[in-house]
Amino acid sequence: MRLGYFSMPLHPAGRPWADTLREDREAVILADQLGFHDAFIGEHLTDRHENVTNSLVFLATLISETRQIRLGTGTTNLSHQHPVLVAANSAMFDHLSGGRFILGISAGALPSDAEVLGILDEDRNEMFAESIDIITEIWNSDPPYSLVKPGGRWPVTTEKTFDDQMGVGILPKTLQQPRPEIVGTVVAPFSKGVVAMGARNFHPLSANFLLPQWVATHWPNYVQGKESVNDVADVADWRVARTVFVADDDKVARDYGRLDPSSPYRYYYEKMLFKMRKIGRLELFKSRRDQPDDEITLDSVLDQLVITGTAESVAEQILEFRSQTGDFGELVYAGLDWVDPALARRSMELMAEKVMPLVNS
């Protein structure tokens, strides 16, 4: 099982923006030094707690600071920009990074982002589907381009201006051929989007805030998608994110990971619980569909979703989690605010140097 890294990232209001960006960069640099396989960084435009507005721009600052870790958008919100920009800028990033790029994709779920862009009332899932079709077709085809979908939002063509001798009307190709790995974040139980991922050879990343029984619903749907195109699903392609804190001492792990009022884990899930309750998606935290809303408390969510303890205990909890979900290829460590930088760094060190060897043995 590989070890990956993912961060939304989410920080307390009032922290200087430059400080949080520096901290998030340090986390990815540390992950690279510790041998993490990849790092995914999220993006939002209008959330005061989330500090990265464009994950590709953020990750570009890390190319020269890292050596082996693969750098993934987590995710590029495809409804937010023209697909030609995503295709061209991602291709350049792939070359700049020496082929270490992963394109993480989603429609863009934050309503305030959609409103500020003037697309609140539009079908962003439909925009997402059209966008990824255009991006992959650009990478797979040669100019002049004529990618025009009837009724589509983005007609893409260079038929009128293409001049091969002059070298214009030509979009760049990625370094990785035929294309970089494409990863989709899965945030709902029984997601039908996972079926489409399997059919298109995109790879799923199950969100860290889903209960084990909901994570387990993703793999059968991915297999279904693979079988629909006569392909075989490989568990190595399935990433599963978890919220983990590892410490040398049980009490420190318990306090920093769940109980202390200043715990970044407590803060993260307090914000997630408030958001999901507000937008009517509290079922994500329910162990059964008919569970009453008032049973979903912050402490119950922390108990179910935060894996914390010493290295030996965390390894056991991960193996127990895997027994509920089935095998997967990569455990993606969720990065949070560094309330205590020493503890945050130590957790990542223990995860890479102690926990994963125990899990893999």
Side-chain angles (χ1 to χ4, degrees):
M1 185 189 296
R2 305 183 306 271
L3 177 62
Y5 180 84
F6 165 80
S7 183
M8 290 177 62
L10 188 148
H11 297 281
R15 290 198 62 194
W17 195 4
D19 289 354
T20 60
L21 290 171
R22 187 181 306 111
E23 180 181 295
D24 294 329
R25 292 182 73 255
E26 288 177 6
V28 177
I29 292 167
L30 177 60
D32 177 64
Q33 295 168 349
L34 292 171
F36 282 58
H37 178 73
D38 44 35
F40 295 88
I41 300 294
E43 64 181 35
H44 280 306
L45 293 170
T46 60
D47 190 321
R48 77 156 54 109
H49 302 286
E50 296 190 43
N51 62 344
V52 174
T53 59
N54 185 300
S55 54
L56 198 66
V57 171
F58 176 85
L59 291 168
T61 72
L62 289 159
I63 292 173
S64 62
E65 301 283 349
T66 56
R67 294 291 173 263
Q68 58 82 30
I69 196 167
R70 301 180 66 79
L71 301 170
T73 57
T75 60
T76 296
N77 296 319
L78 295 185
S79 66
H80 291 186
Q81 57 183 308
H82 198 292
V84 166
L85 295 176
V86 178
N89 293 335
S90 295
M92 182 177 73
F93 187 101
D94 196 35
H95 284 268
L96 286 170
S97 66
R100 289 192 282 138
F101 176 61
I102 301 172
L103 177 61
I105 55 172
S106 70
L110 191 62
S112 57
D113 281 359
E115 181 182 9
V116 81
L117 292 169
I119 58 173
L120 182 60
D121 297 325
E122 299 197 33
D123 188 334
R124 297 191 293 281
N125 288 325
E126 186 176 276
M127 294 169 71
F128 166 82
E130 181 184 351
S131 179
I132 195 59
D133 283 346
I134 292 170
I135 292 164
T136 53
E137 189 59 31
I138 286 171
W139 290 341
N140 290 334
S141 61
D142 295 314
Y145 309 99
S146 181
L147 311 177
V148 182
K149 177 183 176 181
R153 183 184 183 91
W154 296 293
V156 175
T157 174
T158 60
E159 290 181 309
K160 295 179 181 179
T161 56
F162 171 71
D163 188 320
D164 192 40
Q165 186 175 7
M166 190 183 297
V168 297
I170 302 165
L171 288 163
K173 302 287 189 185
T174 58
L175 177 60
Q176 299 176 79
Q177 288 296 314
R179 60 163 173 78
E181 182 181 12
I182 297 177
V183 172
T185 303
V186 192
V187 298
F190 304 99
S191 170
K192 294 301 181 186
V194 184
V195 180
M197 287 186 206
R200 302 194 61 170
N201 197 30
F202 301 167
H203 298 157
L205 194 168
S206 300
N208 60 302
F209 49 78
L210 290 175
L211 300 179
Q213 62 263 42
W214 304 139
V215 173
T217 66
H218 295 164
W219 184 247
N221 281 7
Y222 188 68
V223 171
Q224 180 186 335
K226 282 287 187 178
E227 290 175 344
S228 72
V229 293
N230 298 314
D231 200 359
V232 178
D234 184 349
V235 292
D237 296 332
W238 185 22
R239 293 172 171 87
V240 176
R242 289 289 92 184
T243 313
V244 181
F245 174 66
V246 199
D248 293 295
D249 177 84
D250 269 321
K251 185 178 186 306
V252 171
R254 187 168 57 252
D255 289 347
Y256 192 78
R258 289 183 187 162
L259 302 179
D260 195 304
S262 64
S263 162
Y265 296 83
R266 195 170 189 87
Y267 175 81
Y268 173 85
Y269 277 106
E270 180 182 30
K271 294 300 178 189
M272 289 296 295
L273 184 58
F274 179 81
K275 284 183 178 180
M276 295 306 166
R277 197 183 298 274
K278 185 87 170 177
I279 65 175
R281 298 194 65 188
L282 201 59
E283 74 277 359
L284 293 180
F285 298 131
K286 294 184 177 183
S287 56
R288 63 183 193 279
R289 290 289 176 85
D290 63 349
Q291 187 175 6
D293 287 359
D294 59 10
E295 289 186 11
I296 311 304
T297 65
L298 177 57
D299 286 324
S300 72
V301 168
L302 289 166
D303 288 343
Q304 295 181 90
L305 291 176
V306 178
I307 296 174
T308 187
T310 61
E312 294 76 12
S313 172
V314 167
E316 291 174 1
Q317 291 173 71
I318 290 171
L319 291 171
E320 171 58 27
F321 171 79
R322 190 179 66 176
S323 73
Q324 299 175 63
T325 63
D327 286 342
F328 50 90
E330 181 172 317
L331 180 74
V332 181
Y333 179 101
L336 306 183
D337 185 86
W338 284 8
V339 170
D340 186 320
L343 289 178
R345 286 177 170 274
R346 184 57 177 158
S347 177
M348 291 178 66
E349 291 169 358
L350 288 168
M351 191 71 196
E353 297 170 355
K354 301 289 186 181
V355 174
M356 294 309 292
L358 287 169
V359 169
N360 285 321
S361 68

